[in-house]
Amino acid sequence: MIRKMAVVLAVLASPAMAEIKVQEVTSPGGIKAWLVEDHGIPFTALELRFRGGTSLDAPGKRGAVNLMTGLIEEGAAEMNAQKFAESRDALAAEFKFDASADAVSVSARMLTQNRAQAAELLRLALTQPRFDADAVERVRGQVLSILRANAKDPGALAGETFDKLAFGDHPYGTSGNGTIDSVTALTREDILAAHQGALTRDRVYVAAVGDITPEDLGALLDHLLADLPETGAPLPGPAPVGLTGGITVTDFPTPQAVVMFGQQGIERDDPDYFAAFVLNEILGGDRFGSRLMTELREKRGLTYGVGTYLADYDQADLMLGQFATDNRTVGEAVDILRAEWAKAAQGVTEAELAAAKTYLTGAYPLRFDGNGPIANILVGMQMVGLPVDYSATRNARIEAVTLDDVKRVAARLIQPDGLRIVVVGQPQGLPDTP
């Protein structure tokens, strides 16, 4: 029996735009999902997320989950990679598989007229991947090519350096792609073990948007996921953030140095999270009017762009940012960054608060621009523990943030002496400090 509860999400800004009705569905087999039923166009977008991601790599097997994810679509059951692709294309279905630090993501688009066949093909990919030797070597080669390219990419090097400083030996401290040595050494048995450990029923989150009823969705999910293992590999424990203030310089021949910076962040369920979110927008968010964009680009032309964001991992929280600038101007740009970081600890103005609220509440509805994006948003909401009505209340929470709220969280969150700055390039006159 399908159990369901409907909540109407008034996520769109103007009366001319439609509301989104989200139903909480539980399949006969106990799989929970969020559904937006829309029969206007005969297709359905389905999003699956399996918690854990590349953080589940076994010791000495870094890159196994990433490689496994890249191989899911490379043949299943009796179909090799070419036959699988032909079968998918004949159904006009779309499947996408991706691995991040905290999740393996599966995105599917399928037409109503052949939904059963498309779902069966996806089921085979998830439950009976072949991992043929030729496919393994082909995808392994693609991963190794990415790793070699990253070794020449100052942005990738900055991220890897920063992650190591922040997380040390925790899985977050190294790239989920693995290293050339670790990926080269992975065997088919390692890939099979990664599959069994990462794609399991106990850590799956589901959202669907489109031409499907709750009853049909429940039946589809039970068929799609029934043959997956019930439980998987243990999730990693918390990742203490080991950042201290200072500058780390990695010498690299590039005309523009990449500057990555960050500090301890704030948990997603913290009562002050929305105040921190607004503060971040004012300091270095998406708008051209942010403080860092104004000071570094508009006033001085030191960079094309700069941005900061709250990075909420499952096991850690950071406040991060990045920009690129000429090696000759890195010192000046870093001085401005530090000054603005310290200034942010004192709070913001009423005008800045009002402008940030206007932008954040106005931009939010634009994310809901199709079945796929809506399904992606809904499954992400589930993973971070947000309620089903979050989309309807999110803008009100932004509007409720006061100047005193931002001042309080700024004093608590911003750590001028704890800001770690990583520079990859050949900056002039910038010392490497502990």
Side-chain angles (χ1 to χ4, degrees):
M1 177 180 181
I2 297 289
R3 298 191 301 276
K4 58 185 178 178
M5 180 182 73
V7 176
V8 175
L9 304 184
V11 302
L12 301 174
S14 73
M17 294 180 174
E19 294 178 332
I20 297 175
K21 180 181 179 182
V22 180
Q23 303 176 67
E24 292 185 288
V25 174
T26 302
S27 76
I31 299 170
K32 296 181 179 181
W34 288 5
L35 167 65
V36 175
E37 193 174 353
D38 181 0
H39 301 287
I41 302 176
F43 90 98
T44 299
L46 179 68
E47 289 285 335
L48 308 175
R49 298 267 176 87
F50 296 88
R51 188 183 297 279
T54 61
S55 296
L56 298 177
D57 281 337
K61 308 296 182 182
R62 198 65 171 131
V65 170
N66 180 66
L67 182 57
M68 177 275 296
T69 304
L71 284 160
I72 294 177
E73 204 173 1
E74 296 290 325
E78 301 304 316
M79 295 171 286
N80 63 17
Q82 181 176 349
K83 181 62 177 177
F84 184 91
E86 290 173 352
S87 300
R88 179 202 60 213
D89 293 347
L91 296 169
E94 297 180 6
F95 304 144
K96 182 186 294 185
F97 305 91
D98 187 45
S100 64
D102 287 323
V104 172
S105 302
V106 181
S107 303
R109 308 289 182 270
M110 54 191 75
L111 298 174
T112 301
Q113 65 188 30
N114 54 30
R115 185 173 62 220
Q117 299 98 307
E120 172 62 9
L121 195 62
L122 180 58
R123 183 188 74 84
L124 294 175
L126 293 174
T127 62
Q128 300 180 44
R130 288 167 64 99
F131 301 139
D132 290 332
D134 61 337
V136 170
E137 293 313 311
R138 181 172 60 253
V139 177
R140 189 201 309 270
Q142 294 168 358
V143 174
L144 292 174
S145 178
I146 291 170
L147 290 171
R148 294 188 183 102
N150 286 346
K152 300 176 182 179
D153 182 344
L157 291 173
E160 291 173 5
T161 301
F162 191 94
D163 289 345
K164 187 64 177 177
L165 290 168
F167 300 120
D169 293 332
H170 192 277
Y172 291 167
T174 56
S175 170
N177 290 337
T179 66
I180 289 178
D181 288 342
S182 69
V183 173
T184 300
L186 290 172
T187 66
R188 185 175 187 274
E189 288 68 30
D190 296 330
I191 296 167
L192 284 167
H195 177 261
Q196 291 294 302
L199 302 187
T200 59
R201 288 169 55 91
D202 65 325
R203 58 185 55 156
V204 66
Y205 298 80
V206 184
V209 179
D211 185 26
I212 190 169
T213 66
E215 291 73 21
D216 287 344
L217 177 60
L220 183 151
L221 293 176
D222 281 348
H223 177 68
L224 188 65
L225 305 174
D227 293 336
L228 289 177
E230 182 61 34
T231 59
L235 294 168
V241 178
L243 294 174
T244 58
I247 300 172
T248 300
V249 176
T250 298
D251 184 87
F252 188 81
T254 177
Q256 283 227 322
V258 172
V259 181
M260 187 168 185
F261 52 94
Q263 58 152 83
Q264 175 74 52
I266 185 169
E267 292 184 5
R268 185 62 184 75
D269 58 357
D270 190 291
D272 276 335
Y273 183 83
F274 278 93
F277 186 66
V278 174
L279 172 64
N280 173 75
E281 179 58 38
I282 293 168
L283 175 58
D286 294 333
R287 298 168 304 128
F288 260 50
S290 73
R291 288 182 177 181
L292 288 175
M293 186 70 88
T294 298
E295 296 299 325
L296 290 173
R297 173 175 167 150
E298 297 304 307
K299 289 185 178 180
R300 298 172 178 86
L302 297 176
T303 185
Y304 180 78
V306 57
T308 62
Y309 59 100
L310 301 177
D312 302 306
Y313 298 95
D314 281 357
Q315 307 295 339
D317 301 284
L318 295 174
M319 187 173 184
L320 298 174
Q322 183 172 314
F323 64 89
T325 190
D326 190 282
N327 282 299
R328 295 169 297 180
T329 58
V330 173
E332 180 185 1
V334 166
D335 286 344
I336 294 166
L337 167 65
R338 284 174 149 173
E340 290 302 317
W341 210 261
K343 181 181 175 184
Q346 307 304 313
V348 303
T349 68
E350 284 281 11
E352 288 176 318
L353 178 60
K357 286 182 177 183
T358 297
Y359 172 78
L360 291 172
T361 56
Y364 186 62
L366 302 180
R367 301 180 189 178
F368 296 78
D369 62 350
N371 288 6
I374 293 172
N376 186 58
I377 290 170
L378 294 181
V379 79
M381 286 168 52
Q382 293 176 64
M383 285 202 71
V384 298
L386 295 173
V388 70
D389 68 344
Y390 172 78
S391 295
T393 63
R394 181 265 193 190
N395 276 358
R397 299 183 193 199
I398 295 290
E399 293 287 7
V401 173
T402 68
L403 200 63
D404 286 341
D405 292 333
V406 176
K407 183 176 181 179
R408 180 184 65 254
V409 78
R412 170 191 166 195
L413 175 63
I414 301 297
Q415 302 172 14
D417 295 333
L419 184 66
R420 172 55 58 171
I421 300 169
V422 170
V423 181
V424 176
Q426 295 177 324
Q428 297 178 14
L430 188 69
D432 188 341
T433 62

